[in-house]
Amino acid sequence: MGLIITHSNVFKIAYPTLVVPHQPGPDVKPKFSVLAMFPKTNIGNISGLEPTLDEVCYSQWKMSFAEATAPGMGINYPPCLKDGDSRSLTYGMWLMSLKNSDPVGVVDQKGVYVDPKSIYAGCWASAEVECSAYEDRHRRVVAVKLLGIQKIDKS
């Protein structure tokens, strides 16, 4: 299995659920999560994760992330950046959902642990994530798992 722990670029947070995990349905495992909104003004490597996703896919299958997640390759829910321009609140942003079923560590700009309640919609952060690519029950999986959040002061 290809697995790398890395950090994202800075993003604006929406829909943080870091205190109590969100359970979207009765048969769905609850998860801690944030919606990461990356400004489109970043050119190229928008989330900071693209090279890492390429690396884990190449390690596992000898192909890039784009090749591994192409239609017909068997990956149903790959991590992806979605265009936020269809809604006024997310206009000018690329969106990526970051999740974990385990509690997520939260630190301030100096790396000191803080209460997860200090993370709110609209604050800026970067994330520590685990990118992985592996085979699971005869299907290919590419995943980005949220490990931690670092709140960034952009004032």
Side-chain angles (χ1 to χ4, degrees):
M1 168 169 74
L3 183 141
I4 298 174
I5 295 176
T6 190
H7 288 86
S8 74
N9 288 344
V10 173
F11 57 87
K12 195 175 205 179
I13 288 184
Y15 307 108
T17 57
L18 299 172
V19 178
V20 177
H22 174 68
Q23 186 171 13
D27 296 331
V28 180
K29 187 173 184 176
K31 294 193 178 187
F32 297 90
S33 65
V34 297
L35 178 64
M37 302 189 311
F38 297 96
K40 286 185 174 182
T41 54
N42 292 351
I43 304 300
N45 186 7
I46 293 169
S47 70
L49 305 177
E50 290 88 343
T52 304
L53 290 169
D54 276 340
E55 190 174 339
V56 295
C57 288
Y58 190 79
S59 170
Q60 182 67 25
W61 301 302
K62 305 296 183 240
M63 62 180 78
S64 71
F65 175 68
E67 292 168 319
T69 57
M73 294 303 286
I75 297 176
N76 295 327
Y77 303 104
C80 65
L81 289 169
K82 295 179 182 171
D83 191 341
D85 284 354
S86 64
R87 299 179 64 198
S88 61
L89 293 175
T90 58
Y91 187 84
M93 302 283 192
W94 288 106
L95 313 175
M96 180 182 272
S97 183
L98 302 172
K99 301 175 183 180
N100 191 335
S101 55
D102 297 321
V104 174
V106 178
V107 297
D108 65 14
Q109 197 156 329
K110 295 178 183 174
V112 177
Y113 282 96
V114 296
D115 190 325
K117 291 177 188 172
S118 68
I119 300 298
Y120 54 89
C123 74
W124 291 88
S126 66
E128 180 180 44
V129 297
E130 176 186 282
C131 296
S132 58
Y134 56 94
E135 303 278 333
D136 179 24
R137 296 188 192 147
H138 311 292
R139 65 184 179 139
R140 291 181 172 185
V141 177
V142 178
V144 176
K145 181 179 181 181
L146 178 63
L147 299 177
I149 294 283
Q150 182 175 28
K151 188 175 179 182
I152 305 292
D153 181 14
K154 290 202 49 138
S155 55

